[in-house]
Amino acid sequence: MRTQLLAAGAAAVACVANGASISEASQPRHLFSRQSLSNATTSNTTLPTSPPFYPSPWMDGSGDWGDAYEKAKAFVSQLTLVEKVNLTTGVGWESEACVGNTGSIPRLGFQSLCMQDSPLGIRFSDYNSAFPAGGTVAASWDRQVWYDRGYAMGAEHNGKGVDVQLGPVVGPLGRAPAGGRGWEGFSPDPFLSGQAVAQTVQGMQKAGIIACTKHYILNEQEHFRQAGESAGFGFNITESLSSNIDDKTLHELYLWPFADAVRAGTGSVMCSYNQINNSYGCQNSHLMNGILKGELGFQGFVMSDWAAQHAGVATTLAGLDMTMPGDTAFDSGVAYWGGNLTLSVINGTVPEWRLDDMVTRIMAAYYYVGRDAPGNVKPVNFNSWSRDEYGYQHAIAKAGYGKINERVDVRRHHAKIIRDHAVRSTVLLKNVDGALPLSGKEKMTAVFGDDAGDNTAGPNGCSDHGCDNGTLAMGWGSGTASFPYLISPLTAIQNEIAKVEGRVEWVTNGWDLTSAQALAAQAEVAITFVNADSGEGFISVDGNIGDRNNLTLWKNGDALIRNVSAVCNNTIVVVHSVGPVILDDYAKNPNITAIVWAGLPGEQTGNAIADILYGRVNPGGKLPFTIGASREDYGADVMYEPNNDADAPQDQFSEGIFIDYRAFDRKNIQPTYEFGFGLSYTTFEYSHIQVAAHTVPAYTPNEGMTAPAMQYGNSSINIEDWQYPADFAPINYYIYPWINGSDAKTASGDANYGTEGSFPAGSQDGSAQPKVRAGGAPGGNPRLYDVVYTIVALVKNTGSIPGDEVAQLYVNLGGLQDAPKILRGFDRITIAPGATVQFTVQLCRRDVMNWNTAIQDWEITADPKKVYVGGSSRNLPLSADLPSLSYA
Ligand SMILES: *[C@@H]1O[C@H](CO)[C@@H](O)[C@H](O)[C@H]1NC(C)=O
Ligand SMILES: *[C@@H]1O[C@H](CO)[C@@H](O)[C@H](O)[C@H]1NC(C)=O
Ligand SMILES: *[C@@H]1O[C@H](CO)[C@@H](O)[C@H](O)[C@H]1NC(C)=O
Ligand SMILES: *[C@@H]1O[C@H](CO)[C@@H](O)[C@H](O)[C@H]1NC(C)=O
Ligand SMILES: *[C@@H]1O[C@H](CO)[C@@H](O)[C@H](O)[C@H]1NC(C)=O
Ligand SMILES: *[C@@H]1O[C@H](CO)[C@@H](O)[C@H](O)[C@H]1NC(C)=O
Ligand SMILES: *[C@@H]1O[C@H](CO)[C@@H](O)[C@H](O)[C@H]1NC(C)=O
Ligand SMILES: *[C@@H]1O[C@H](CO)[C@@H](O)[C@H](O)[C@H]1NC(C)=O
Ligand SMILES: *[C@@H]1O[C@H](CO)[C@@H](O)[C@H](O)[C@H]1NC(C)=O
């Protein structure tokens, strides 16, 4: 076929919310200094600190937020002080139907905002779908999959009356493979994660709900994320773990996908449980004020993780906009905000413009996603705390008995796309002599492993999926959803074999090796299902406190594979896992003819794996992480023991940007299966790389001054004006915005009321402020997203069947501190047998930049830069130099 290199109209991969950059790990660490509003932690003077950034930037309607901003201003201008406070503060854990609800504004008929888990579907609900996990669909490398999945999940939440879906996840990024919640996010590569989060956010919000990108930031492990939770597991710590990081690693690795999410318009961002350089995620002015709202130009609102708020005024001034679930601790009945926020405005510690900005951001997100469109907002029609049709509206108070669950079926056609997405995300790792696909005519098929079958307790039999019984199709914790059904691999394989009246038998008990061997010896093909699970740190499964204790298989999976493959020379291994597992022996074992990684595929897991095994679909997924031969090969690991006496554990991110494939490449370690690897039932060939540099405007820093803060009201500071209404009957445990009594200190219930002394310099200053140099619009300086290079190459399908290839482009930024290569472009392309297609990547300026800590901005260094193109991070047959740019 005829191909035109660099032809106009070629299917270019758009430069949407793109990018990544690399860094030198030699920069001084401890760049941020500790904030001293509360001096909460220790007197250990060697601890890293986080610098102050005040005042909290007010939204300005930049990017495409102008209309939403105008509508929000008009709305907020009508509100009283307590009505504003109501929109910022949750009503308390288990007080309303959702996992989090704000107060309402009855005077205007404005209902409470409903926040609901999770990033893969609706938690605590029914008649909803269970989608593949984020870390699984990352393996599709397919922007359409991400968008469609986001839209479908958003539509389901919308159908239940949810305003904010608590997802997607790009923190954890996936620093350590054993980190418990990596599977909720996408990939330890920031570019891949950034592309996935941008599409997911846009899909979700197109469905008319607000996305909540989380957890900001460096929430990379479960151990020690919360002191109280850790105490429950026998650890004596008084404060959450501190992730200690340098500025360059922050920008070039962990912040990168958050920038993409902001650029894609995420309406909210959730701040995290952990500390960052010894300042809590929800109280860190450098990260919320300085970087998220300043540098990244975030226009939406920052919501706390559940009980991640540890102070009142300090969090308000540091940039938190909404507290969830609203009470200081679950069901404490008291709040850092609510009445306390009302008090802090009338006593002058929180300027009213700051409260106005909080509410304007919340309402702007509401308008930005079109929640005000006619018919879009529905009353919440389910209740998180019960699947019964009748029960208490206010569960914790046992109040408001009535119909709480309308049992609305919101699934539409989603089963179909869930199966398709799971198939597209399946990665074929090994396939000797066409072992796969199976014909379905095998004389005798044997199936092994607990992971093949059903959980005897049912698909939702373990609370928050906190067990590993039966096939693994999602991890555990809050990032889950109820299964409407769960088609196990064994069910699907039986359906397949029954169609042709063949023979299939199984041993699902992974410890019954004698029976397994006896059966395997008779089999023409032995399909062995194995898994490895992890989840959120409030649940421990088999001694794994969220984070995995090891990278080996669960449920006796390794012994099972060894025993089956010892007697069957056509053993096929299927892995359902939350992330990398050790497979090195199986890669080398000649009796193991195929290995498939299927991730956490959701409700259609069995049907999806059958589509791949029986060749109805040619696999095209690629690994979104590295599968190494040992956990020591990865650049970083989970901290399992606290290291700072009883004080906040100090987790030094001293590996810098060198995680996952960057670590393997730097040390030249051979992985078992590299990042970006995946086979097809056909083969591909790469040729003819060409690079074109574009003439672009020079990069110009964002300069000048902002407008002053806007204030949309001038509320009375008379405490008598904000008392509970005389005829009001409060619900137990419920958080309200009113004040109880005319003595402020007594009303606050806070022995330390009024004793905080001075506040950080500038924190109450609403005057025009200098703009942040690397900022300017949502996502940062718009010049970062100029397309500076177009790179094309040809990809040929050299086999005899159609197939999908994920073509990949990596950049070497040329500096001594840079990684050998970093992903900067990819496209999943369907190619007919014998056909050649053009792979096109448009590199943004940011894609070839490094973060310069001295000037606090991105720059293109003078180092010579190269690009590489091929089918995985270690199969890059094409390369070219990047010419230097000329500026218009
Ligand atoms: C925090 O510590 C600094 C330095 O020791 C001290 O000057 C400041 O008064 C302390 N702040 C509070 C609120 O205790
Ligand atoms: C201070 O913290 C560092 C980092 O965790 C630790 O190595 C050191 O022992 C601590 N010093 C004291 C006096 O606690
Ligand atoms: C605040 O929200 C609560 C719960 O929805 C509601 O009962 C109360 O009336 C609201 N207060 C105001 C001032 O609107
Ligand atoms: C106000 O906040 C303090 C903590 O700062 C808390 O102890 C107190 O209970 C809160 N008061 C109310 C009424 O929620
Ligand atoms: C189910 O899971 C629990 C918790 O992981 C475990 O203790 C139990 O043995 C499992 N049951 C079966 C039948 O596998
Ligand atoms: C790894 O952890 C899993 C789950 O707890 C356990 O079943 C397995 O035995 C562990 N592997 C090793 C080698 O200890
Ligand atoms: C397995 O062994 C049988 C019997 O020796 C042989 O016929 C068959 O070709 C072998 N299959 C593979 C995949 O090696
Ligand atoms: C926790 O550790 C601190 C400091 O080592 C010690 O003083 C305290 O007694 C310990 N508490 C418990 C409950 O072990
Ligand atoms: C103002 O009110 C807040 C919330 O109750 C309280 O934390 C703070 O100490 C008060 N400050 C003054 C100066 O009264």
Side-chain angles (χ1 to χ4, degrees), residues 140-151 199 417 420-421 424:
S140 73
W141 298 62
D142 189 328
R143 292 175 178 85
Q144 194 69 47
V145 164
W146 300 327
Y147 182 90
D148 291 347
R149 172 176 171 274
Y151 184 85
Q199 295 295 328
I417 70 165
D420 176 54
H421 292 181
R424 284 171 170 271

mmCIF file with all atom_site columns, all heavy atoms in Angstrom, residues 140-151 199 417 420-421 424:
data_model
loop_
_atom_site.group_PDB
_atom_site.id
_atom_site.type_symbol
_atom_site.label_atom_id
_atom_site.label_alt_id
_atom_site.label_comp_id
_atom_site.label_asym_id
_atom_site.label_entity_id
_atom_site.label_seq_id
_atom_site.pdbx_PDB_ins_code
_atom_site.Cartn_x
_atom_site.Cartn_y
_atom_site.Cartn_z
_atom_site.occupancy
_atom_site.B_iso_or_equiv
_atom_site.pdbx_formal_charge
_atom_site.auth_seq_id
_atom_site.auth_comp_id
_atom_site.auth_asym_id
_atom_site.auth_atom_id
_atom_site.pdbx_PDB_model_num
ATOM 1   N N   . SER A 1 140 ? -4.368  -1.649 27.556 1.00 0.00 ? 140 SER A N   1
ATOM 2   C CA  . SER A 1 140 ? -4.949  -1.545 26.208 1.00 0.00 ? 140 SER A CA  1
ATOM 3   C C   . SER A 1 140 ? -4.203  -0.509 25.374 1.00 0.00 ? 140 SER A C   1
ATOM 4   O O   . SER A 1 140 ? -4.227  -0.564 24.155 1.00 0.00 ? 140 SER A O   1
ATOM 5   C CB  . SER A 1 140 ? -6.437  -1.176 26.276 1.00 0.00 ? 140 SER A CB  1
ATOM 6   O OG  . SER A 1 140 ? -6.585  0.184  26.646 1.00 0.00 ? 140 SER A OG  1
ATOM 7   N N   . TRP A 1 141 ? -3.575  0.437  26.026 1.00 0.00 ? 141 TRP A N   1
ATOM 8   C CA  . TRP A 1 141 ? -2.898  1.560  25.343 1.00 0.00 ? 141 TRP A CA  1
ATOM 9   C C   . TRP A 1 141 ? -3.841  2.148  24.295 1.00 0.00 ? 141 TRP A C   1
ATOM 10  O O   . TRP A 1 141 ? -3.434  2.502  23.185 1.00 0.00 ? 141 TRP A O   1
ATOM 11  C CB  . TRP A 1 141 ? -1.592  1.114  24.688 1.00 0.00 ? 141 TRP A CB  1
ATOM 12  C CG  . TRP A 1 141 ? -0.561  0.584  25.634 1.00 0.00 ? 141 TRP A CG  1
ATOM 13  C CD1 . TRP A 1 141 ? -0.661  -0.507 26.445 1.00 0.00 ? 141 TRP A CD1 1
ATOM 14  C CD2 . TRP A 1 141 ? 0.758   1.116  25.854 1.00 0.00 ? 141 TRP A CD2 1
ATOM 15  N NE1 . TRP A 1 141 ? 0.508   -0.682 27.161 1.00 0.00 ? 141 TRP A NE1 1
ATOM 16  C CE2 . TRP A 1 141 ? 1.393   0.292  26.806 1.00 0.00 ? 141 TRP A CE2 1
ATOM 17  C CE3 . TRP A 1 141 ? 1.460   2.205  25.329 1.00 0.00 ? 141 TRP A CE3 1
ATOM 18  C CZ2 . TRP A 1 141 ? 2.699   0.523  27.260 1.00 0.00 ? 141 TRP A CZ2 1
ATOM 19  C CZ3 . TRP A 1 141 ? 2.757   2.432  25.771 1.00 0.00 ? 141 TRP A CZ3 1
ATOM 20  C CH2 . TRP A 1 141 ? 3.369   1.605  26.736 1.00 0.00 ? 141 TRP A CH2 1
ATOM 21  N N   . ASP A 1 142 ? -5.098  2.272  24.683 1.00 0.00 ? 142 ASP A N   1
ATOM 22  C CA  . ASP A 1 142 ? -6.132  2.614  23.713 1.00 0.00 ? 142 ASP A CA  1
ATOM 23  C C   . ASP A 1 142 ? -6.955  3.784  24.248 1.00 0.00 ? 142 ASP A C   1
ATOM 24  O O   . ASP A 1 142 ? -7.757  3.628  25.173 1.00 0.00 ? 142 ASP A O   1
ATOM 25  C CB  . ASP A 1 142 ? -7.018  1.372  23.477 1.00 0.00 ? 142 ASP A CB  1
ATOM 26  C CG  . ASP A 1 142 ? -7.992  1.551  22.330 1.00 0.00 ? 142 ASP A CG  1
ATOM 27  O OD1 . ASP A 1 142 ? -8.450  2.695  22.097 1.00 0.00 ? 142 ASP A OD1 1
ATOM 28  O OD2 . ASP A 1 142 ? -8.311  0.543  21.674 1.00 0.00 ? 142 ASP A OD2 1
ATOM 29  N N   . ARG A 1 143 ? -6.767  4.947  23.653 1.00 0.00 ? 143 ARG A N   1
ATOM 30  C CA  . ARG A 1 143 ? -7.429  6.151  24.154 1.00 0.00 ? 143 ARG A CA  1
ATOM 31  C C   . ARG A 1 143 ? -8.951  6.034  24.075 1.00 0.00 ? 143 ARG A C   1
ATOM 32  O O   . ARG A 1 143 ? -9.668  6.551  24.931 1.00 0.00 ? 143 ARG A O   1
ATOM 33  C CB  . ARG A 1 143 ? -6.943  7.379  23.373 1.00 0.00 ? 143 ARG A CB  1
ATOM 34  C CG  . ARG A 1 143 ? -5.472  7.715  23.654 1.00 0.00 ? 143 ARG A CG  1
ATOM 35  C CD  . ARG A 1 143 ? -4.961  8.851  22.780 1.00 0.00 ? 143 ARG A CD  1
ATOM 36  N NE  . ARG A 1 143 ? -3.575  9.195  23.079 1.00 0.00 ? 143 ARG A NE  1
ATOM 37  C CZ  . ARG A 1 143 ? -2.517  8.568  22.549 1.00 0.00 ? 143 ARG A CZ  1
ATOM 38  N NH1 . ARG A 1 143 ? -2.686  7.577  21.701 1.00 0.00 ? 143 ARG A NH1 1
ATOM 39  N NH2 . ARG A 1 143 ? -1.293  8.936  22.877 1.00 0.00 ? 143 ARG A NH2 1
ATOM 40  N N   . GLN A 1 144 ? -9.448  5.350  23.052 1.00 0.00 ? 144 GLN A N   1
ATOM 41  C CA  . GLN A 1 144 ? -10.890 5.189  22.923 1.00 0.00 ? 144 GLN A CA  1
ATOM 42  C C   . GLN A 1 144 ? -11.445 4.325  24.066 1.00 0.00 ? 144 GLN A C   1
ATOM 43  O O   . GLN A 1 144 ? -12.519 4.604  24.609 1.00 0.00 ? 144 GLN A O   1
ATOM 44  C CB  . GLN A 1 144 ? -11.222 4.540  21.567 1.00 0.00 ? 144 GLN A CB  1
ATOM 45  C CG  . GLN A 1 144 ? -12.687 4.638  21.187 1.00 0.00 ? 144 GLN A CG  1
ATOM 46  C CD  . GLN A 1 144 ? -13.096 6.073  20.869 1.00 0.00 ? 144 GLN A CD  1
ATOM 47  O OE1 . GLN A 1 144 ? -12.410 6.763  20.128 1.00 0.00 ? 144 GLN A OE1 1
ATOM 48  N NE2 . GLN A 1 144 ? -14.199 6.515  21.451 1.00 0.00 ? 144 GLN A NE2 1
ATOM 49  N N   . VAL A 1 145 ? -10.704 3.292  24.427 1.00 0.00 ? 145 VAL A N   1
ATOM 50  C CA  . VAL A 1 145 ? -11.117 2.453  25.562 1.00 0.00 ? 145 VAL A CA  1
ATOM 51  C C   . VAL A 1 145 ? -11.225 3.313  26.818 1.00 0.00 ? 145 VAL A C   1
ATOM 52  O O   . VAL A 1 145 ? -12.212 3.241  27.563 1.00 0.00 ? 145 VAL A O   1
ATOM 53  C CB  . VAL A 1 145 ? -10.114 1.294  25.778 1.00 0.00 ? 145 VAL A CB  1
ATOM 54  C CG1 . VAL A 1 145 ? -10.298 0.648  27.155 1.00 0.00 ? 145 VAL A CG1 1
ATOM 55  C CG2 . VAL A 1 145 ? -10.258 0.247  24.672 1.00 0.00 ? 145 VAL A CG2 1
ATOM 56  N N   . TRP A 1 146 ? -10.234 4.143  27.067 1.00 0.00 ? 146 TRP A N   1
ATOM 57  C CA  . TRP A 1 146 ? -10.238 4.955  28.293 1.00 0.00 ? 146 TRP A CA  1
ATOM 58  C C   . TRP A 1 146 ? -11.402 5.928  28.299 1.00 0.00 ? 146 TRP A C   1
ATOM 59  O O   . TRP A 1 146 ? -12.076 6.120  29.311 1.00 0.00 ? 146 TRP A O   1
ATOM 60  C CB  . TRP A 1 146 ? -8.900  5.702  28.435 1.00 0.00 ? 146 TRP A CB  1
ATOM 61  C CG  . TRP A 1 146 ? -7.723  4.777  28.510 1.00 0.00 ? 146 TRP A CG  1
ATOM 62  C CD1 . TRP A 1 146 ? -7.697  3.522  29.082 1.00 0.00 ? 146 TRP A CD1 1
ATOM 63  C CD2 . TRP A 1 146 ? -6.411  4.998  27.983 1.00 0.00 ? 146 TRP A CD2 1
ATOM 64  N NE1 . TRP A 1 146 ? -6.439  2.983  28.943 1.00 0.00 ? 146 TRP A NE1 1
ATOM 65  C CE2 . TRP A 1 146 ? -5.633  3.857  28.275 1.00 0.00 ? 146 TRP A CE2 1
ATOM 66  C CE3 . TRP A 1 146 ? -5.804  6.056  27.294 1.00 0.00 ? 146 TRP A CE3 1
ATOM 67  C CZ2 . TRP A 1 146 ? -4.291  3.737  27.913 1.00 0.00 ? 146 TRP A CZ2 1
ATOM 68  C CZ3 . TRP A 1 146 ? -4.478  5.954  26.941 1.00 0.00 ? 146 TRP A CZ3 1
ATOM 69  C CH2 . TRP A 1 146 ? -3.722  4.804  27.243 1.00 0.00 ? 146 TRP A CH2 1
ATOM 70  N N   . TYR A 1 147 ? -11.637 6.564  27.169 1.00 0.00 ? 147 TYR A N   1
ATOM 71  C CA  . TYR A 1 147 ? -12.729 7.534  27.089 1.00 0.00 ? 147 TYR A CA  1
ATOM 72  C C   . TYR A 1 147 ? -14.082 6.824  27.276 1.00 0.00 ? 147 TYR A C   1
ATOM 73  O O   . TYR A 1 147 ? -14.921 7.252  28.078 1.00 0.00 ? 147 TYR A O   1
ATOM 74  C CB  . TYR A 1 147 ? -12.685 8.275  25.744 1.00 0.00 ? 147 TYR A CB  1
ATOM 75  C CG  . TYR A 1 147 ? -13.750 9.322  25.627 1.00 0.00 ? 147 TYR A CG  1
ATOM 76  C CD1 . TYR A 1 147 ? -13.513 10.631 26.048 1.00 0.00 ? 147 TYR A CD1 1
ATOM 77  C CD2 . TYR A 1 147 ? -15.016 9.003  25.136 1.00 0.00 ? 147 TYR A CD2 1
ATOM 78  C CE1 . TYR A 1 147 ? -14.502 11.596 25.973 1.00 0.00 ? 147 TYR A CE1 1
ATOM 79  C CE2 . TYR A 1 147 ? -16.013 9.958  25.059 1.00 0.00 ? 147 TYR A CE2 1
ATOM 80  C CZ  . TYR A 1 147 ? -15.750 11.254 25.472 1.00 0.00 ? 147 TYR A CZ  1
ATOM 81  O OH  . TYR A 1 147 ? -16.748 12.200 25.417 1.00 0.00 ? 147 TYR A OH  1
ATOM 82  N N   . ASP A 1 148 ? -14.268 5.743  26.550 1.00 0.00 ? 148 ASP A N   1
ATOM 83  C CA  . ASP A 1 148 ? -15.559 5.041  26.605 1.00 0.00 ? 148 ASP A CA  1
ATOM 84  C C   . ASP A 1 148 ? -15.830 4.473  27.994 1.00 0.00 ? 148 ASP A C   1
ATOM 85  O O   . ASP A 1 148 ? -16.970 4.499  28.474 1.00 0.00 ? 148 ASP A O   1
ATOM 86  C CB  . ASP A 1 148 ? -15.593 3.900  25.583 1.00 0.00 ? 148 ASP A CB  1
ATOM 87  C CG  . ASP A 1 148 ? -15.622 4.418  24.142 1.00 0.00 ? 148 ASP A CG  1
ATOM 88  O OD1 . ASP A 1 148 ? -15.868 5.622  23.939 1.00 0.00 ? 148 ASP A OD1 1
ATOM 89  O OD2 . ASP A 1 148 ? -15.387 3.600  23.223 1.00 0.00 ? 148 ASP A OD2 1
ATOM 90  N N   . ARG A 1 149 ? -14.796 3.936  28.616 1.00 0.00 ? 149 ARG A N   1
ATOM 91  C CA  . ARG A 1 149 ? -14.962 3.419  29.971 1.00 0.00 ? 149 ARG A CA  1
ATOM 92  C C   . ARG A 1 149 ? -15.323 4.554  30.929 1.00 0.00 ? 149 ARG A C   1
ATOM 93  O O   . ARG A 1 149 ? -16.219 4.433  31.773 1.00 0.00 ? 149 ARG A O   1
ATOM 94  C CB  . ARG A 1 149 ? -13.666 2.721  30.419 1.00 0.00 ? 149 ARG A CB  1
ATOM 95  C CG  . ARG A 1 149 ? -13.626 2.290  31.881 1.00 0.00 ? 149 ARG A CG  1
ATOM 96  C CD  . ARG A 1 149 ? -12.325 1.528  32.147 1.00 0.00 ? 149 ARG A CD  1
ATOM 97  N NE  . ARG A 1 149 ? -12.058 1.247  33.546 1.00 0.00 ? 149 ARG A NE  1
ATOM 98  C CZ  . ARG A 1 149 ? -11.443 2.081  34.386 1.00 0.00 ? 149 ARG A CZ  1
ATOM 99  N NH1 . ARG A 1 149 ? -11.057 3.282  33.969 1.00 0.00 ? 149 ARG A NH1 1
ATOM 100 N NH2 . ARG A 1 149 ? -11.227 1.718  35.632 1.00 0.00 ? 149 ARG A NH2 1
ATOM 101 N N   . GLY A 1 150 ? -14.643 5.692  30.771 1.00 0.00 ? 150 GLY A N   1
ATOM 102 C CA  . GLY A 1 150 ? -14.952 6.847  31.615 1.00 0.00 ? 150 GLY A CA  1
ATOM 103 C C   . GLY A 1 150 ? -16.389 7.290  31.419 1.00 0.00 ? 150 GLY A C   1
ATOM 104 O O   . GLY A 1 150 ? -17.119 7.538  32.390 1.00 0.00 ? 150 GLY A O   1
ATOM 105 N N   . TYR A 1 151 ? -16.810 7.361  30.181 1.00 0.00 ? 151 TYR A N   1
ATOM 106 C CA  . TYR A 1 151 ? -18.174 7.805  29.890 1.00 0.00 ? 151 TYR A CA  1
ATOM 107 C C   . TYR A 1 151 ? -19.196 6.836  30.492 1.00 0.00 ? 151 TYR A C   1
ATOM 108 O O   . TYR A 1 151 ? -20.174 7.252  31.131 1.00 0.00 ? 151 TYR A O   1
ATOM 109 C CB  . TYR A 1 151 ? -18.389 7.922  28.376 1.00 0.00 ? 151 TYR A CB  1
ATOM 110 C CG  . TYR A 1 151 ? -19.739 8.476  28.040 1.00 0.00 ? 151 TYR A CG  1
ATOM 111 C CD1 . TYR A 1 151 ? -19.952 9.848  28.006 1.00 0.00 ? 151 TYR A CD1 1
ATOM 112 C CD2 . TYR A 1 151 ? -20.824 7.633  27.815 1.00 0.00 ? 151 TYR A CD2 1
ATOM 113 C CE1 . TYR A 1 151 ? -21.206 10.373 27.732 1.00 0.00 ? 151 TYR A CE1 1
ATOM 114 C CE2 . TYR A 1 151 ? -22.086 8.146  27.548 1.00 0.00 ? 151 TYR A CE2 1
ATOM 115 C CZ  . TYR A 1 151 ? -22.276 9.509  27.509 1.00 0.00 ? 151 TYR A CZ  1
ATOM 116 O OH  . TYR A 1 151 ? -23.522 10.031 27.265 1.00 0.00 ? 151 TYR A OH  1
ATOM 117 N N   . GLN A 1 199 ? -8.172  11.065 29.150 1.00 0.00 ? 199 GLN A N   1
ATOM 118 C CA  . GLN A 1 199 ? -9.322  10.493 28.440 1.00 0.00 ? 199 GLN A CA  1
ATOM 119 C C   . GLN A 1 199 ? -10.418 10.083 29.419 1.00 0.00 ? 199 GLN A C   1
ATOM 120 O O   . GLN A 1 199 ? -11.615 10.256 29.148 1.00 0.00 ? 199 GLN A O   1
ATOM 121 C CB  . GLN A 1 199 ? -8.886  9.268  27.624 1.00 0.00 ? 199 GLN A CB  1
ATOM 122 C CG  . GLN A 1 199 ? -7.925  9.586  26.497 1.00 0.00 ? 199 GLN A CG  1
ATOM 123 C CD  . GLN A 1 199 ? -8.548  10.447 25.414 1.00 0.00 ? 199 GLN A CD  1
ATOM 124 O OE1 . GLN A 1 199 ? -9.745  10.362 25.150 1.00 0.00 ? 199 GLN A OE1 1
ATOM 125 N NE2 . GLN A 1 199 ? -7.742  11.280 24.796 1.00 0.00 ? 199 GLN A NE2 1
ATOM 126 N N   . ILE A 1 417 ? -19.168 -3.508 26.443 1.00 0.00 ? 417 ILE A N   1
ATOM 127 C CA  . ILE A 1 417 ? -17.906 -2.771 26.356 1.00 0.00 ? 417 ILE A CA  1
ATOM 128 C C   . ILE A 1 417 ? -16.930 -3.249 27.426 1.00 0.00 ? 417 ILE A C   1
ATOM 129 O O   . ILE A 1 417 ? -15.732 -3.227 27.229 1.00 0.00 ? 417 ILE A O   1
ATOM 130 C CB  . ILE A 1 417 ? -18.094 -1.232 26.384 1.00 0.00 ? 417 ILE A CB  1
ATOM 131 C CG1 . ILE A 1 417 ? -18.547 -0.730 27.738 1.00 0.00 ? 417 ILE A CG1 1
ATOM 132 C CG2 . ILE A 1 417 ? -19.035 -0.750 25.296 1.00 0.00 ? 417 ILE A CG2 1
ATOM 133 C CD1 . ILE A 1 417 ? -18.384 0.779  27.851 1.00 0.00 ? 417 ILE A CD1 1
ATOM 134 N N   . ASP A 1 420 ? -15.225 -6.156 25.873 1.00 0.00 ? 420 ASP A N   1
ATOM 135 C CA  . ASP A 1 420 ? -14.318 -5.674 24.831 1.00 0.00 ? 420 ASP A CA  1
ATOM 136 C C   . ASP A 1 420 ? -13.072 -5.017 25.448 1.00 0.00 ? 420 ASP A C   1
ATOM 137 O O   . ASP A 1 420 ? -11.945 -5.261 25.019 1.00 0.00 ? 420 ASP A O   1
ATOM 138 C CB  . ASP A 1 420 ? -15.066 -4.677 23.939 1.00 0.00 ? 420 ASP A CB  1
ATOM 139 C CG  . ASP A 1 420 ? -14.167 -4.058 22.891 1.00 0.00 ? 420 ASP A CG  1
ATOM 140 O OD1 . ASP A 1 420 ? -13.530 -4.829 22.146 1.00 0.00 ? 420 ASP A OD1 1
ATOM 141 O OD2 . ASP A 1 420 ? -14.071 -2.815 22.818 1.00 0.00 ? 420 ASP A OD2 1
ATOM 142 N N   . HIS A 1 421 ? -13.279 -4.204 26.484 1.00 0.00 ? 421 HIS A N   1
ATOM 143 C CA  . HIS A 1 421 ? -12.137 -3.527 27.108 1.00 0.00 ? 421 HIS A CA  1
ATOM 144 C C   . HIS A 1 421 ? -11.217 -4.527 27.807 1.00 0.00 ? 421 HIS A C   1
ATOM 145 O O   . HIS A 1 421 ? -9.998  -4.377 27.782 1.00 0.00 ? 421 HIS A O   1
ATOM 146 C CB  . HIS A 1 421 ? -12.626 -2.474 28.098 1.00 0.00 ? 421 HIS A CB  1
ATOM 147 C CG  . HIS A 1 421 ? -13.304 -1.322 27.425 1.00 0.00 ? 421 HIS A CG  1
ATOM 148 N ND1 . HIS A 1 421 ? -13.812 -0.245 28.117 1.00 0.00 ? 421 HIS A ND1 1
ATOM 149 C CD2 . HIS A 1 421 ? -13.563 -1.062 26.112 1.00 0.00 ? 421 HIS A CD2 1
ATOM 150 C CE1 . HIS A 1 421 ? -14.351 0.617  27.262 1.00 0.00 ? 421 HIS A CE1 1
ATOM 151 N NE2 . HIS A 1 421 ? -14.217 0.135  26.052 1.00 0.00 ? 421 HIS A NE2 1
ATOM 152 N N   . ARG A 1 424 ? -9.206  -6.199 25.087 1.00 0.00 ? 424 ARG A N   1
ATOM 153 C CA  . ARG A 1 424 ? -8.186  -5.302 24.552 1.00 0.00 ? 424 ARG A CA  1
ATOM 154 C C   . ARG A 1 424 ? -7.051  -5.064 25.543 1.00 0.00 ? 424 ARG A C   1
ATOM 155 O O   . ARG A 1 424 ? -5.969  -4.615 25.156 1.00 0.00 ? 424 ARG A O   1
ATOM 156 C CB  . ARG A 1 424 ? -8.813  -3.951 24.190 1.00 0.00 ? 424 ARG A CB  1
ATOM 157 C CG  . ARG A 1 424 ? -9.604  -4.017 22.920 1.00 0.00 ? 424 ARG A CG  1
ATOM 158 C CD  . ARG A 1 424 ? -10.388 -2.745 22.691 1.00 0.00 ? 424 ARG A CD  1
ATOM 159 N NE  . ARG A 1 424 ? -10.931 -2.773 21.349 1.00 0.00 ? 424 ARG A NE  1
ATOM 160 C CZ  . ARG A 1 424 ? -10.283 -2.315 20.279 1.00 0.00 ? 424 ARG A CZ  1
ATOM 161 N NH1 . ARG A 1 424 ? -9.110  -1.750 20.390 1.00 0.00 ? 424 ARG A NH1 1
ATOM 162 N NH2 . ARG A 1 424 ? -10.812 -2.416 19.081 1.00 0.00 ? 424 ARG A NH2 1
#
